[in-house]
């Protein structure tokens, strides 16, 4: 995997990265966590803070899942090697006690017996000492070769199925504990993925739609669109006006000109519903409707006389 893009802030915004803090993983897994976080961010492309937090959760759970799986794979080898080292130590001790110690003791006694009657200045003494040291050194080299052969043999057989079966009782409990922890991390990973999806296509989408609606209500940018949307509705409204009502752009009786009003789609729908109800038979049978209609007609006639 190439160099992480997390460190140079090309993927994670600085304000979002501050929320994460120090990676909550083992120090040896920090690099893997950062790489996973970068890869998930590039694939999922978080759109808000919530999604960034879910992406961080995904990286956290996945890093721990991989870490636990590596640990679990080492349990058999660790315990087999541990048992093999114990076995090797016993073999080496037995070999040393059986071969080297008796030889060293015997050679030491022979050497002492040989030089017992020699003078310290006798040139034969130095010669005997050299022969003794060479004899001890040769035996030590022979012992070292035997130790290397025994070590290679034990290490070669340490991961055999027989040794794994023999050491199963010593690592099975640790393996089961790691499996339970692994199941929790895998569940957390699946939950984080589900929560991310539910947010993106649920609450997150509604928040983005609301944000777009707030932007769309700017009158300078949308006045023409609003006029086009209102065009099919205005003739229907005019057709339902009472006879004698003032023109749409005329000045009311108060003398105060009405400010231009931009109707939304919902408002126009409500006005149409009200007009249709007013023209229905139940509405005309209402006493308040008859009185209001009479007052409206009177105002219309008064305006006609003034004109």
């Amino acid at each position: 995997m190439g160099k992480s893009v997390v460190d140079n802030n090309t993927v994670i915004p600085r304000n979002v990265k501050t929320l994460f803090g120090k990676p909550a993983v083992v120090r040896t897994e920090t690099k893997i966590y950062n790489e996973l976080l970068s890869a998930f961010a590039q694939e999922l492309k978080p759109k808000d803070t919530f999604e960034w937090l879910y992406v961080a959760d995904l990286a956290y759970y996945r890093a721990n899942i991989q870490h636990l799986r590596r640990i679990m794979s080492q349990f058999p080898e660790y315990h087999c090697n541990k048992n093999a080292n114990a076995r090797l130590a016993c073999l080496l001790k037995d070999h040393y006690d059986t071969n080297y110690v008796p030889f060293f003791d015997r050679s030491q006694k022979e050497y002492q017996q040989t030089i017992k009657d020699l003078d310290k200045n006798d040139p034969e003494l130095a010669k005997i000492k050299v022969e003794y040291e060479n004899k001890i050194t040769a035996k030590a080299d022979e012992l070292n070769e035997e130790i290397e052969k025994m070590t290679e043999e034990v290490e070669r057989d340490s991961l055999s199925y027989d040794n794994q079966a023999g050491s199963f009782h010593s690592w099975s409990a640790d393996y089961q504990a790691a499996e339970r922890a692994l199941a929790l991390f895998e569940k957390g990973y699946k939950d984080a993925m589900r929560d991310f999806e539910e947010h993106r296509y649920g609450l997150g989408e509604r928040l983005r739609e609301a944000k777009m609606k707030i932007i769309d209500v700017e009158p300078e940018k949308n006045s023409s669109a609003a006029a086009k949307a209102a065009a099919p509705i205005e003739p229907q409204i005019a057709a339902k006006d009472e006879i004698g009502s003032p023109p749409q752009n005329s000045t009311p009786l108060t003398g105060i000109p009405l400010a231009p009003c931009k109707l939304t789609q919902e408002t126009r729908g409500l006005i149409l519903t009200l007009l249709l109800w007013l023209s229905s038979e139940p509405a005309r049978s209402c006493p308040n409707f008859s009185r209001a209609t009479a007052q409206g007609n009177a105002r219309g006639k008064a305006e006609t006389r003034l004109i």
Side-chain angles (χ1 to χ4, degrees):
M1 188 175 291
K3 185 178 179 181
S4 173
V5 292
V6 177
D7 297 334
N8 54 20
N9 295 318
T10 57
V11 172
I12 303 178
R14 186 178 299 275
N15 61 329
V16 175
K17 188 176 180 182
T18 304
L19 299 176
F20 297 158
K22 185 179 179 181
V25 294
V26 181
R27 185 173 63 253
T28 57
E29 307 302 307
T30 301
K31 182 179 179 181
I32 295 177
Y33 168 84
N34 287 333
E35 296 290 350
L36 286 170
L37 183 61
S38 174
F40 287 158
Q42 291 180 12
E43 291 293 334
L44 298 175
K45 294 179 175 55
K47 299 179 180 179
D48 54 39
T49 304
F50 292 101
E51 291 190 3
W52 274 112
L53 293 176
Y54 287 131
V55 168
D57 288 344
L58 291 173
Y60 165 77
Y61 286 119
R62 178 50 58 181
N64 280 283
I65 288 171
Q66 296 178 186
H67 182 217
L68 275 175
R69 287 176 178 172
R70 286 192 294 271
I71 290 177
M72 292 169 67
S73 67
Q74 296 299 314
F75 280 147
E77 183 174 355
Y78 169 77
H79 286 279
C80 285
N81 289 337
K82 185 178 179 181
N83 294 339
N85 290 335
R87 176 170 172 264
L88 179 62
C90 293
L91 291 175
L92 294 178
K93 186 177 185 303
D94 292 341
H95 186 74
Y96 180 84
D97 293 341
T98 304
N99 297 280
Y100 187 76
V101 173
F103 171 81
F104 179 80
D105 292 341
R106 185 171 60 254
S107 299
Q108 182 73 13
K109 289 178 181 180
E110 291 176 355
Y111 173 74
Q112 294 296 335
Q113 185 67 27
T114 303
I115 66 173
K116 180 177 66 173
D117 299 330
L118 295 177
D119 187 78
K120 293 182 178 180
N121 297 324
D122 192 338
E124 191 69 19
L125 179 62
K127 182 180 178 180
I128 294 173
K129 184 177 181 180
V130 170
E131 291 178 353
Y132 169 76
E133 290 178 350
N134 291 337
K135 185 179 180 179
I136 295 297
T137 302
K139 187 62 178 179
D141 292 341
E142 180 184 348
L143 180 63
N144 288 333
E145 290 179 0
E146 293 175 353
I147 289 175
E148 289 179 0
K149 291 180 181 179
M150 294 172 62
T151 302
E152 291 176 359
E153 181 180 355
V154 171
E155 289 179 350
R156 184 173 59 251
D157 297 337
S158 63
L159 289 179
S160 65
Y161 288 110
D162 292 340
N163 288 336
Q164 291 186 42
S167 63
F168 181 79
H169 67 281
S170 60
W171 57 267
S172 58
D174 294 337
Y175 195 92
Q176 291 173 3
E179 270 191 332
R180 290 192 293 270
L182 180 62
L184 293 176
F185 282 119
E186 289 176 341
K187 181 180 182 302
Y189 180 80
K190 293 178 181 178
D191 291 344
M193 183 65 74
R194 185 195 63 243
D195 293 342
F196 177 90
E197 184 177 4
E198 290 180 352
H199 174 78
R200 168 161 288 188
Y201 301 107
L203 176 61
E205 187 172 4
R206 292 195 296 272
L207 290 175
R208 288 188 293 273
E209 289 177 354
K211 185 177 180 181
M212 294 302 298
K213 288 181 179 179
I214 293 174
I215 296 175
D216 288 343
V217 298
E218 297 181 5
E220 293 81 6
K221 298 181 179 180
N222 300 291
S223 58
S224 59
K228 292 179 180 179
I233 306 300
E234 291 174 355
Q236 300 178 19
I237 298 176
K240 298 294 181 179
D241 286 345
E242 290 291 335
I243 299 175
S245 59
Q248 186 176 357
N249 296 327
S250 62
T251 303
L253 294 176
T254 57
I256 302 174
L258 295 177
C261 179
K262 182 176 66 176
L263 300 179
T264 64
Q265 188 70 24
E266 294 180 358
T267 306
R268 290 194 295 269
L270 291 175
I271 293 174
L272 283 175
T273 303
L274 179 60
L275 291 175
L276 291 174
W277 181 83
L278 291 175
S279 62
S280 63
E281 186 64 28
R284 295 183 177 279
S285 62
C286 180
N288 293 332
F289 174 81
S290 302
R291 184 166 54 255
T293 303
Q295 293 175 356
N297 292 336
R299 285 197 299 271
K301 293 177 181 180
E303 292 176 2
T304 303
R305 288 194 298 271
L306 290 174
I307 294 173

